[in-house]
């Protein structure tokens, strides 16, 4: 890529995953471990903090909290204990923060009603189940592990004492792993309340019995049963597809070894209720009174059971999170539910009425708007620049831009955004790609033709003209210190040249344009594409050229700007736009609302952060788009990089290759990441041969 700004510089683009979040400034902070897990797209398991501050005495609480986190790590997930520290909602605690919380006095139990006052007062708060669920929704953590959820209290029909956990479960998307509800509650009415709230309740394992915390059975049956972690993950995945916006409870029985005698527990509860009535204990004081009575009656065995079940739940929850992440990953999308997907060699067709991803936006629709391609052997037509890239890597410690001569190593390869995309597609598609460009009748022009014989269309050689050249000077650290371009020949990509190859354009399944072609030519090509309903992929190349398609008020299918180019597009289309930069994602979304009136799908490249796709919910051309589908695709770090010049162009080619096979957007992004990774590991801009087996694994 001539800009030498490969979007995946120093990235590892394999094994990527994705996550979607609401585009708003979130009132929380992540620990470094959680932040890294979110960036890498690896599974995360949320944990509440009241079990630390109010569930066990010190140091048993700290010891248990650390052991629970270690269990989750050992299963392949990242633990995220949630608490409010000095008014800051914190997702993931460090060792020091965990110890502070375990020793702290006067920590407030933080349910929904308490979160805002605690934060405003800059106090410490331990999140309950309800409070933790709110944090998991903000942080987009699908799986939350706890000991037991709250419920309807005994005689709740008179006192109206119903835990906020139940209503929160009715308005969240979180899967909560627990050991049911404590026997001190009215379990039958709790299950009825959960049904009214639309909460999916499942027992875990071989029995339909709904557990009662200390005991494996409450005497009630769960409405559903899951056999293992994968089964639970599939239910969560299906719920996300259906956008149910109500929670899932996976009720895991306490390990048999630690299960208590239900008769002993019930006797202790009944005696304690009588005593509470005599002492006038009511309201929120009843629960701790009953728990203390149970602990006394069992000689402290209830604490051992509590610890055993939370550890067991942590293992189950981590397994579910890992399995759910696999279902989210592109490698497993086709196998997730085996619906709407049929596969034949080299091609995957999807039922457009199904959605294989979770989007989070204002009015969400998903991928049913996907464009279908009739790619029966037609040649993709790429119209754009071709040049020779020369790099000069200075071997001395410093570069003096004062006319001094420096020792260097020189390399040469084909370049130009359009040419790079065309070559990569030509190699990916077994040739079915043609490039319309302009090159000189000189040695550099012959060099470009020899890289991929047959790629460039006839009549693209301009007599007595210089082939475009780009030169870059790098210092010893690999930083570009100077770039030079001789690109005048791009002005020879004219309307007349396009008309000579009008049949190539009409027969192409998709037309790719880069920002290097003249404005008049671009306007003409876009008009022809609209007339023949031809999909267009636009690669801006830089912020000055990013606005070219919008001079003629044309509509295009795909555009792949970076943030600077996105800003230029939005400012051109609405000079009065003023975006408050709360964070990058907020800015991208707000800018996109203006641009999407002319672009169907935006693929915003984010350097080391990966990519974001933004689509309209419907295809109405409105002055200001309100309903969007937003997808965030992170990428991982790659420690070894040979050359960044062609990575961005290979990413675009891999994405195009995927959509031409009618793959899901997420699968196409995955292929783009893999092609970019392969480009980063070579000295040329485009690999002479892509590892097709690795690309097939991305489908």
């Amino acid at each position: 890529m001539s800009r030498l700004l490969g979007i995946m510089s120093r990235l590892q683009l394999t094994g990527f995953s994705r996550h979607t979040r609401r585009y708003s400034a979130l009132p929380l902070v992540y620990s470094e471990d959680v932040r890294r897990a979110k960036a890498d797209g690896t599974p995360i398991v949320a944990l509440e903090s009241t079990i630390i501050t109010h569930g066990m005495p010190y140091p048993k609480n700290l010891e248990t909290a650390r052991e629970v986190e270690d269990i989750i790590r050992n299963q392949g997930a990242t633990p995220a204990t949630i608490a409010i520290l000095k008014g800051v909602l914190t997702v993931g605690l460090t060792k020091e923060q965990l110890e502070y919380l375990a020793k702290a006095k006067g920590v407030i139990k933080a349910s929904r009603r308490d979160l805002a006052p605690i934060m405003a007062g800059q106090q410490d708060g331990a999140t309950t189940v309800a409070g933790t669920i709110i944090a998991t929704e903000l942080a987009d953590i699908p799986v939350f592990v706890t000991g037991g959820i709250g419920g309807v209290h005994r005689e709740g029909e008179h006192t109206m004492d119903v835990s906020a956990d139940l209503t929160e479960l009715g308005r969240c998307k979180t899967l909560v792993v627990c050991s049911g509800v404590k026997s001190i509650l009215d379990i039958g009415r709790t299950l009825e309340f959960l049904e009214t709230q639309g909460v999916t309740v499942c027992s875990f394992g071989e029995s339909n019995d709904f557990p009662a915390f200390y005991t494996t059975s409450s005497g009630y049956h769960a409405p559903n049963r899951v056999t293992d972690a994968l089964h639970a993950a599939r239910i969560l995945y299906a719920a996300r597809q259906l956008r149910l916006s109500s929670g899932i409870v996976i009720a895991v029985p306490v390990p048999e070894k630690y299960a208590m005698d239900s008769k002993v527990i019930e006797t202790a509860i009944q005696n304690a209720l009588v005593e509470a009535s005599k002492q006038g204990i009511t309201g929120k004081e009843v629960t701790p009174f009953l728990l203390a009575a149970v602990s006394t009656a069992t000689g402290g065995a209830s604490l051992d059971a509590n610890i055993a079940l939370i550890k067991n739940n942590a293992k189950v929850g981590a397994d579910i999170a890992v399995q759910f992440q696999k279902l989210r990953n592109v490698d497993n999308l086709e196998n997730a539910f085996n619906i709407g997907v049929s596969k034949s060699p080299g091609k995957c067709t999807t039922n457009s009425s199904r959605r294989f991803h979770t989007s989070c936006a204002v009015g969400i629709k998903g991928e049913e708007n996907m464009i279908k391609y009739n790619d029966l052997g037609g040649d993709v037509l790429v119209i754009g620049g071709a040049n020779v890239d020369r790099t000069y890597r200075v071997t001395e410690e410093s570069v003096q831009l004062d006319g001094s001569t420096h020792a260097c190593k020189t390399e040469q390869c084909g370049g130009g955004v359009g040419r790079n995309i065309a070559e990569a597609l030509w190699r990916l598609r077994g040739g079915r790609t043609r490039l319309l460009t302009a090159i000189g009748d000189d040695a550099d022009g012959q060099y470009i033709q020899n890289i991929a014989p047959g790629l460039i269309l006839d009549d693209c050689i301009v007599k007595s003209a210089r082939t475009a050249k780009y030169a870059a000077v790098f210092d010893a650290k690999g930083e570009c210190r100077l770039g030079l371009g001789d690109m005048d020949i791009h002005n020879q990509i004219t309307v007349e040249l396009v008309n000579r190859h009008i049949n190539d354009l009409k027969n192409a399944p998709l037309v790719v344009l880069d920002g290097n072609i003249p404005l008049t030519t671009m306007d003409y090509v876009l008009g022809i594409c609209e007339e023949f309903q031809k999909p267009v992929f636009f690669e801006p190349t830089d912020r000055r050229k990013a606005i070219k398609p919008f001079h003629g008020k044309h509509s295009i299918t795909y555009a792949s700007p970076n943030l600077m180019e996105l800003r230029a597009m939005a400012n051109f289309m609405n000079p009065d736009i003023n975006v408050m930069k709360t964070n990058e994602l907020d800015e991208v979304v707000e800018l996109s609302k203006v641009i999407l009136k002319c672009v169907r799908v935006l693929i915003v490249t984010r350097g080391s952060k990966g990519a974001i796709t933004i689509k309209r919910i419907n295809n109405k051309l409105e002055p200001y788009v309100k309903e969007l589908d937003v997808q965030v695709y992170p990428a991982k770090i790659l420690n070894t990089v040979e050359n960044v010049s062609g990575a961005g162009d290979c990413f675009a080619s891999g994405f195009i290759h995927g959509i031409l096979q009618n793959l899901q957007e997420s699968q196409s992004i995955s292929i783009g990441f893999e092609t970019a990774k392969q480009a980063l590991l070579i000295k040329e801009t485009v690999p002479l041969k892509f590892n097709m087996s690795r690309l097939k694994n991305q489908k």
Side-chain angles (χ1 to χ4, degrees), residues 374-391:
N374 182 20
D375 184 22
L376 301 177
D379 291 343
V380 173
L381 179 63
V382 181
I383 306 176
N387 50 262
V388 175
D389 281 353
R390 292 187 175 91
T391 57

Side-chain angles (χ1 to χ4, degrees), residues 239-520:
R240 292 293 177 107
Q241 284 188 297
L242 294 168
R243 314 207 185 280
L244 294 180
S245 296
S246 53
I248 300 168
V249 171
I250 303 296
V252 183
V254 60
E256 193 69 40
K257 177 181 177 181
Y258 295 94
M260 315 252 340
D261 188 326
S262 60
K263 293 181 180 179
V264 172
I265 297 291
E266 185 60 27
T267 299
I269 292 171
Q270 292 298 334
N271 292 337
L273 285 170
V274 172
E275 187 61 30
S277 178
K278 288 181 181 179
Q279 297 183 28
I281 297 173
T282 59
K284 64 180 182 180
E285 301 302 326
V286 172
T287 296
F289 182 84
L290 295 180
L291 291 177
V294 170
S295 179
T296 301
T298 60
S302 59
L303 179 60
D304 294 336
N306 194 351
I307 294 171
L309 67 86
I310 187 62
K311 289 181 180 179
N312 187 52
N313 292 351
K315 181 181 182 303
V316 172
D319 289 343
I320 293 172
V322 169
Q323 292 298 331
F324 178 67
Q325 192 62 48
K326 288 180 180 179
L327 293 177
R328 282 175 128 180
N329 286 346
V330 173
D331 288 345
N332 295 281
L333 275 173
E334 292 178 2
N335 298 323
F337 296 98
N338 198 28
I339 56 176
V341 178
S342 61
K343 189 171 182 181
S344 57
K347 185 155 184 169
C348 176
T349 305
T350 59
N351 182 337
S352 62
S353 68
R354 299 291 186 179
R355 295 192 285 271
F356 281 81
H357 70 287
T358 301
S359 57
C360 190
V362 181
I364 304 163
K365 286 292 181 185
E367 291 194 28
E368 70 263 349
N369 284 340
M370 283 187 62
I371 302 156
K372 292 297 178 181
Y373 292 90
N374 182 20
D375 184 22
L376 301 177
D379 291 343
V380 173
L381 179 63
V382 181
I383 306 176
N387 50 262
V388 175
D389 281 353
R390 292 187 175 91
T391 57
Y392 303 88
R393 301 180 185 273
V394 176
T395 55
E396 299 175 16
E397 286 298 319
S398 62
V399 177
Q400 304 295 327
L401 299 179
D402 58 1
S404 302
T405 300
H406 297 286
C408 71
K409 293 183 178 180
T410 305
E411 294 173 353
Q412 174 177 299
C413 60
V417 172
R419 195 215 69 85
N420 291 346
I421 292 174
E423 183 192 347
L425 279 171
W426 187 76
R427 299 191 187 283
L428 289 168
R429 290 168 48 80
R432 292 176 294 148
T433 304
R434 304 303 298 276
L435 172 63
L436 193 156
T437 188
I439 56 176
D441 59 347
D442 53 8
D444 284 338
Q446 188 61 52
Y447 171 78
I448 288 176
Q449 290 187 79
N450 290 339
I451 293 174
L455 172 63
I456 299 176
L457 289 166
D458 297 334
D459 300 330
C460 288
I461 299 176
V462 182
K463 293 184 178 180
S464 303
R466 300 184 308 277
T467 298
K469 302 171 182 63
Y470 177 83
V473 178
F474 292 89
D475 61 22
K477 297 179 181 179
E479 299 292 333
C480 183
R481 299 296 302 275
L482 181 65
L484 301 170
D486 178 1
M487 307 291 178
D488 288 346
I489 198 172
H490 291 160
N491 292 324
Q492 299 300 317
I493 308 174
T494 61
V495 170
E496 180 186 2
L497 180 61
V498 171
N499 279 331
R500 290 182 212 157
H501 299 281
I502 196 68
N503 287 331
D504 293 287
L505 191 156
K506 293 179 181 179
N507 293 329
L510 178 138
V511 175
V512 181
L513 302 175
D514 79 5
N516 290 314
I517 68 177
L519 179 59
T520 53

Side-chain angles (χ1 to χ4, degrees), residues 266 570 631 677:
E266 185 60 27
Q631 296 293 322
K677 179 211 169 185

Side-chain angles (χ1 to χ4, degrees), residues 396-696:
E396 299 175 16
E397 286 298 319
S398 62
V399 177
Q400 304 295 327
L401 299 179
D402 58 1
S404 302
T405 300
H406 297 286
C408 71
K409 293 183 178 180
T410 305
E411 294 173 353
Q412 174 177 299
C413 60
V417 172
R419 195 215 69 85
N420 291 346
I421 292 174
E423 183 192 347
L425 279 171
W426 187 76
R427 299 191 187 283
L428 289 168
R429 290 168 48 80
R432 292 176 294 148
T433 304
R434 304 303 298 276
L435 172 63
L436 193 156
T437 188
I439 56 176
D441 59 347
D442 53 8
D444 284 338
Q446 188 61 52
Y447 171 78
I448 288 176
Q449 290 187 79
N450 290 339
I451 293 174
L455 172 63
I456 299 176
L457 289 166
D458 297 334
D459 300 330
C460 288
I461 299 176
V462 182
K463 293 184 178 180
S464 303
R466 300 184 308 277
T467 298
K469 302 171 182 63
Y470 177 83
V473 178
F474 292 89
D475 61 22
K477 297 179 181 179
E479 299 292 333
C480 183
R481 299 296 302 275
L482 181 65
L484 301 170
D486 178 1
M487 307 291 178
D488 288 346
I489 198 172
H490 291 160
N491 292 324
Q492 299 300 317
I493 308 174
T494 61
V495 170
E496 180 186 2
L497 180 61
V498 171
N499 279 331
R500 290 182 212 157
H501 299 281
I502 196 68
N503 287 331
D504 293 287
L505 191 156
K506 293 179 181 179
N507 293 329
L510 178 138
V511 175
V512 181
L513 302 175
D514 79 5
N516 290 314
I517 68 177
L519 179 59
T520 53
T521 305
M522 183 170 294
D523 189 61
Y524 179 75
V525 171
L526 289 173
I528 295 294
C529 289
E530 286 182 349
E531 179 182 351
F532 290 95
Q533 299 183 329
K534 195 68 58 180
V536 174
F537 186 102
F538 173 61
E539 166 54 54
T541 71
D542 71 36
R543 60 183 177 179
R544 293 167 299 174
K545 300 170 184 176
I547 63 176
K548 283 185 178 181
F550 310 120
H551 282 273
K553 308 299 182 184
H554 293 290
S555 177
I556 59 179
T557 318
Y558 299 95
S560 58
N562 60 29
L563 182 57
M564 295 295 290
E565 293 159 353
L566 190 76
R567 289 170 179 162
M569 290 177 171
N571 287 329
F572 177 80
M573 300 180 75
N574 181 3
D576 297 325
I577 190 170
N578 183 19
V579 176
M580 298 296 292
K581 301 176 184 178
T582 53
N583 58 54
E584 182 182 334
L585 184 55
D586 280 1
E587 182 179 5
V588 167
V589 170
E590 290 304 311
L591 294 173
S592 299
K593 290 178 181 178
V594 177
I595 301 167
L596 286 172
K597 67 180 183 180
C598 294
V599 180
R600 184 163 175 180
V601 180
L602 278 168
I603 306 148
V604 181
T605 56
R606 308 171 68 206
S608 61
K609 298 177 184 177
I612 303 170
T613 62
I614 310 101
K615 301 183 286 293
R616 298 191 299 260
I617 293 302
N618 55 52
N619 294 320
K620 295 178 181 178
L621 297 182
E622 301 168 336
Y624 189 79
V625 178
K626 297 180 180 179
E627 296 184 329
L628 305 179
D629 173 39
V630 180
Q631 296 293 322
V632 180
Y633 297 90
K636 297 181 181 179
I637 299 297
L638 180 67
N639 294 322
T640 302
V641 172
E642 285 289 340
N643 181 16
V644 302
S645 299
D649 302 329
C650 286
F651 168 79
S653 300
F655 177 82
I656 293 168
H657 182 54
I659 64 174
L660 287 175
Q661 297 180 80
N662 288 320
L663 300 183
Q664 295 282 353
E665 172 192 284
S666 49
Q667 295 169 296
S668 300
I669 290 284
S670 179
I671 293 173
F673 281 173
E674 177 59 30
T675 53
K677 179 211 169 185
Q678 293 184 31
L680 287 168
L681 298 177
I682 63 168
K683 293 183 178 181
E684 296 80 12
T685 48
V686 177
L688 294 177
K689 185 177 181 180
F690 285 101
N691 186 330
M692 301 306 290
S693 63
R694 292 191 63 86
L695 294 176
K696 288 179 181 179

